[in-house]
């Protein structure tokens, strides 16, 4: 049984869910003096962005490579708060590879001190890129122009697919950019993506500034980052309770306190933050007290749907590529991460690469052997050395509930931090943050819930880290 200090003058908070949303809310609140108990049903923190010892390969691996970008100011702020920001490797280069091996390099222009103002910084590399024909580049320029102005598409109810057809996108632009880079950033088919979300990604990653589009990858397993969150909470007189599956919550009107029933016993608290994925909240809803607005919340939850992400982890007896990551064109495997290079502490004799397949419901249906064989065959088309290398071990991780989709109209199904219940706040990547299903959205939701809670407690605090300001010509487009 977990107990909160009943007579403590500090207000107590139970945060349910130890993903990035819950961790960021918990750390923000502990930072300003709340006594927080972070309750997580699993034996480790991280939720959909975690790592563990995989028994099949006897290695600690991430459930999938998680990438952040410079524009993800809140996850960066969270990493700074818990002292792990130095464990992120940042890069601005993106190598696209075609089957057969031809490479195109995207990234911001820089020659000595000379840089180009945003949004032109990526233009020279795009113009040189062999992966796009001239007609593709013109089509992309046309689409980027249409997405350039913040707010211009915010009321659009169109799907990205329809919008792209209206903007006369070529097959090359569709296959090598929209169906690959943008569909995997949003982890959904272009026919199921709302245009405003795609426009946001295009502006943040390719137009607003070189800094906003730079890409960050952890040099340690994800769970090692969260040791920082546990340490931070303990140093601030708070705690993490693992293996604490929350089964129900009740509100005591007289004492104005919540009792959270967990598998390991009850926890009482003045405030609760529910930092669960939408299906997790949906499951607990019948056990929550009746209140006006609960039926509406239930309807919102029903609107959400999942998209899968699969990752194939391969250990070879030799190096497959000198690149630390790459985008693979025209095949089912989309992204390559050279984990041995990104995480040199692994001291591999050969190499360890991870291949990521986003938004493919077909790939998620393959068996382990089929998926690994397919990944190996396709990888050999990009790197012929795979044909002669020995595969030492392999793992397939299927996350069928990886992300929620962002189809047109989804914003109406994303509630804010304020819930139908007193002193209970909502977080999770699916709540209203304006961001797609990402760690940034999770952390933003955690910071927003912490802001709403601190305000309700009469100690209003700002936790949301502001966006990066657009640079160059983009700053005039506000
Ligand atoms: C394969 C994959 C690849 C991804 N790639 C990227 C990427 O490259 N970049 C990026 O930004 N995002 C990526 N994402 C998305 C990102 O992981 C999520 O958006 C983010 O982690 C969501 O965080 P969250 O805290 O909102 O939810 P979750 O991570 O789902 O956290 C919720 C937590 O609540 C716990 N929980 C559930 N029910 C209960 C209960 N009853 N009691 C107690 N605890 C409970 C869960 O165990 C979990 O730990 C990826 C996701 C996946 C799965």
């Amino acid at each position: 049984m977990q107990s909160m200090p009943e007579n403590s003058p500090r207000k107590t908070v139970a945060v349910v869910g130890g993903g990035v949303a819950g961790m960021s809310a918990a750390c923000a609140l502990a930072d300003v003096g709340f006594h927080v108990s972070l309750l997580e049903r699993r034996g480790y923190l991280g939720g959909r962005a975690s790592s563990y010892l995989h028994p099949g390969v006897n290695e600690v691996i991430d459930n999938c490579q998680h990438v952040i970008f410079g524009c993800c100011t809140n996850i960066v702020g969270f990493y700074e708060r818990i002292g792990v920001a130095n464990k992120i490797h940042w890069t601005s280069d993106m190598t696209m590879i075609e089957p057969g091996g031809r490479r195109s390099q995207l990234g911001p222009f820089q020659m000595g001190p000379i840089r180009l103002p945003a949004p032109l910084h990526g233009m020279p590399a795009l113009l040189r890129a062999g992966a796009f024909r001239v007609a593709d580049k013109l089509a992309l320029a046309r689409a980027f122009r249409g997405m350039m102005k913040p707010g211009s598409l915010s009321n659009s109810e169109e799907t990205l697919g329809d919008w792209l057809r209206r903007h006369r996108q070529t097959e090359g632009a569709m296959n090598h950019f929209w169906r690959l880079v943008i569909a995997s950033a949003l982890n959904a088919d272009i026919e199921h993506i709302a245009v405003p979300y795609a426009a946001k990604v295009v502006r943040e990653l390719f137009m607003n500034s070189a800094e906003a589009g730079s890409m960050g990858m952890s040099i340690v397993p994800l769970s090692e980052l969260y040791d920082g969150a546990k340490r931070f909470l303990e140093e601030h007189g708070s705690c993490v309770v693992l293996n604490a599956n929350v089964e129900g919550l009740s509100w005591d009107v007289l004492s104005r306190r919540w009792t959270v029933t967990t598998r390991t016993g009850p926890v009482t608290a003045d405030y609760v933050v529910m930092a669960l994925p939408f299906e997790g909240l949906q499951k607990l809803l019948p056990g929550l007290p009746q209140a006006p607005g609960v039926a509406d919340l239930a309807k919102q939850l029903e609107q959400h749907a999942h998209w899968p992400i699969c990752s194939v982890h391969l250990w070879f007896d030799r190096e497959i590529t000198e690149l630390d990551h790459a985008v693979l064109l025209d095949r089912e495997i989309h992204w390559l991460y050279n984990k041995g290079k990104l995480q040199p502490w692994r001291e591999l004799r050969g190499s360890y690469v991870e291949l990521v397949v986003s938004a493919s419901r077909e790939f998620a249906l393959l068996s382990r052997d089929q998926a690994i064989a397919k990944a190996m065959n396709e990888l050999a088309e990009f790197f012929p050395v795979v044909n002669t290398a020995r595969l030492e071990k392999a793992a397939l991780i299927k996350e069928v509930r990886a992300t929620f989709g962002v189809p047109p109209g989804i914003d109406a199904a994303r509630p804010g931090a304020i819930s139908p219940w007193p002193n209970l706040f909502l977080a999770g990547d699916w709540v209203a943050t304006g961001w797609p299903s990402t760690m940034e959205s999770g952390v933003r939701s955690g910071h927003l819930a912490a802001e709403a809670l601190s305000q309700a407690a009469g100690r209003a605090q700002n936790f949301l880290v502001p966006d990066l300001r657009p640079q160059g010509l983009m700053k005039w487009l506000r």
Side-chain angles (χ1 to χ4, degrees):
M1 153 134 183
Q2 287 299 314
S3 61
M4 298 267 185
E6 290 288 334
N7 303 322
S8 162
R10 292 167 74 192
K11 291 285 186 192
T12 54
V13 183
V15 175
V16 182
V20 289
M23 284 188 279
S24 56
C27 292
L29 291 166
D31 208 3
V32 295
F34 288 90
H35 177 283
V36 185
S37 289
L38 177 58
L39 310 173
E40 167 54 44
R41 86 176 158 173
R42 288 178 170 162
Y44 51 88
L45 294 174
R48 277 172 282 157
S50 52
S51 52
Y52 51 87
L53 181 66
H54 190 293
V57 288
N58 200 27
E59 302 260 359
V60 174
I61 58 177
D62 295 341
N63 68 330
C64 187
Q65 175 68 48
H66 273 68
V67 168
I68 59 172
F69 292 91
C71 55
C72 300
T73 50
N74 281 265
I75 186 114
V76 172
F78 167 60
Y79 288 159
E80 281 167 358
R81 172 171 276 132
I82 62 172
V84 299
N86 61 344
K87 303 214 183 310
I88 304 299
H89 163 73
W90 290 97
T91 173
S92 293
D93 296 328
M94 187 190 279
T95 308
M96 289 184 151
I97 312 183
E98 294 161 72
R102 183 166 70 149
R103 295 182 180 192
S104 303
Q105 196 75 32
L106 298 185
F109 173 84
Q110 186 168 5
M111 191 183 280
I114 305 170
R115 290 161 189 244
L116 289 177
L120 305 175
H121 57 286
M123 204 62 92
L126 179 66
L127 289 174
R128 277 196 310 272
F132 298 100
R133 292 173 307 125
V134 174
D136 304 332
K137 292 170 189 170
L138 291 173
L140 285 173
R142 197 163 44 241
F144 276 35
R145 197 162 153 264
M147 292 184 162
M148 192 163 171
K149 204 162 174 198
S152 64
L153 293 170
S154 53
N155 294 323
S156 167
E157 291 287 309
E158 222 172 353
T159 66
L160 177 60
D162 286 341
W163 190 92
L164 294 173
R165 281 185 285 276
R166 253 189 340 103
H167 288 76
R168 305 192 315 282
Q169 295 300 287
T170 55
E171 265 316 284
M174 287 294 234
N175 290 337
H176 290 177
F177 187 73
W178 300 107
R179 289 200 184 103
L180 181 55
V181 181
I182 299 305
S184 61
L186 291 162
N187 196 39
D189 186 283
I190 57 169
E191 307 303 339
H192 294 92
I193 292 173
V195 180
Y197 281 94
K200 182 177 180 61
V201 172
V202 166
R203 278 196 306 276
E204 293 288 3
L205 304 195
F206 298 98
M207 304 186 88
N208 278 350
S209 68
E211 188 190 355
S214 63
M215 189 168 156
M217 292 164 281
S218 176
I219 58 169
V220 295
L222 289 166
S223 302
E224 232 177 86
L225 297 179
Y226 313 138
D227 291 345
K230 184 167 183 292
R231 204 167 37 241
F232 184 91
L233 288 171
E234 287 168 357
E235 282 167 8
H236 287 75
S238 292
C239 64
V240 174
V241 190
L242 299 175
N243 302 307
N245 186 47
V246 170
E247 291 160 346
L249 290 96
S250 58
W251 168 248
D252 186 80
V253 183
L254 291 179
S255 65
R256 294 193 61 77
R257 302 195 95 207
W258 282 97
T259 299
V260 183
T261 312
T262 79
R263 192 189 290 147
T264 47
V267 173
T268 54
D270 299 305
Y271 300 95
V272 170
V273 176
M274 296 293 274
L276 298 174
F278 68 88
E279 74 277 11
L281 183 62
Q282 215 164 17
K283 218 166 135 192
L284 288 178
L285 219 49
L288 273 147
Q290 274 308 316
V294 176
D296 291 340
L297 178 59
K299 279 196 199 119
Q300 286 180 307
L301 288 164
E302 280 167 15
Q303 312 284 311
H304 290 280
H306 292 109
W307 284 84
I309 300 180
C310 297
S311 54
V312 180
H313 302 245
L314 304 169
W315 282 261
F316 291 102
D317 64 346
R318 65 198 72 173
E319 192 172 84
I320 297 303
T321 173
E322 83 294 355
L323 295 169
D324 61 15
H325 71 288
V327 184
L328 308 176
L329 302 176
D330 299 328
R331 292 294 178 269
E332 278 199 62
I333 51 173
H334 296 147
W335 297 87
L336 170 139
Y337 298 97
N338 196 344
K339 302 292 276 198
K341 284 216 175 290
L342 291 165
Q343 303 185 337
W345 53 267
R346 287 185 184 267
E347 293 180 355
L348 301 167
R349 276 180 296 113
S351 64
Y352 162 29
V353 299
E354 182 186 329
L355 306 170
V356 177
V357 182
S358 304
S360 171
R361 291 182 166 141
E362 293 74 35
F363 197 91
L365 291 175
L366 297 181
S367 69
R368 176 186 179 276
D369 289 352
Q370 287 169 329
I372 291 170
K374 190 174 207 16
M376 285 286 288
N377 285 339
E378 292 192 357
L379 190 62
E381 293 187 69
F382 299 94
F383 307 103
V385 61
V386 169
N387 289 317
T388 47
R390 197 176 71 235
L391 181 67
E392 296 193 322
K393 52 187 176 181
L396 166 71
I397 301 185
K398 290 183 189 178
E399 291 277 8
V400 286
R401 293 174 172 178
T403 59
F404 65 90
V406 285
I410 197 66
D411 286 346
R414 300 184 73 181
I418 309 277
S419 81
W421 303 276
N423 291 7
L424 186 149
F425 301 87
L426 301 178
D429 59 353
W430 61 280
V431 311
T433 62
W435 281 68
S437 186
T438 51
M439 295 194 292
E440 175 64 12
S441 184
V443 174
R444 275 182 189 240
S445 76
H447 287 166
L448 288 168
E451 285 187 1
L453 190 155
S454 68
Q455 186 165 14
R459 299 160 46 179
Q461 298 275 342
N462 292 329
F463 297 113
L464 201 65
V465 182
D467 291 342
L468 289 183
R469 300 256 277 269
Q471 298 294 313
L473 308 175
M474 291 301 285
K475 64 182 168 209
W476 306 110
L477 287 178
R478 297 249 117 205

